[in-house]
């Protein structure tokens, strides 16, 4: 959400963007931050990686996940 911290709010924003919510268009989110696997695009994979990071999965401790 652009506040400099990774929180569940970021996962919600990303989920809403991916679902096509009107208030969460590409021009209203931080695409660089949303691309948590650093592959150049924002997809459901990014949401999965972010969810695992927030859940504390050891392999996902550092973002961007590569």
């Amino acid at each position: 959400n652009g506040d400099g911290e990774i929180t569940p709010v970021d996962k919600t924003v990303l989920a809403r963007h991916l679902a096509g919510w009107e208030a969460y268009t590409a021009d209203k989110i931080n695409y660089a931050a949303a691309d948590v696997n650093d592959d150049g695009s924002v997809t459901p994979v990014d949401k999965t990686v972010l969810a695992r990071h927030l859940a504390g999965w050891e392999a996902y401790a550092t973002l961007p996940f590569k």
Side-chain angles (χ1 to χ4, degrees):
N1 67 345
D3 67 1
E5 295 183 37
I6 301 170
T7 67
V9 170
D10 297 301
K11 189 176 75 141
T12 300
V13 169
L14 181 54
R16 290 176 179 178
H17 167 71
L18 292 169
W21 287 35
E22 187 175 314
Y24 297 87
T25 56
D27 62 327
K28 294 184 181 173
I29 67 165
N30 182 336
Y31 238 60
D35 182 16
V36 296
N37 68 346
D38 203 25
D39 69 352
S41 61
V42 177
T43 68
V45 171
D46 295 295
K47 188 177 87 163
T48 300
V49 169
L50 183 56
R52 291 176 180 178
H53 173 78
L54 291 168
W57 289 33
E58 187 176 329
Y60 296 84
T62 304
L63 295 179
F65 175 77
K66 296 183 182 197

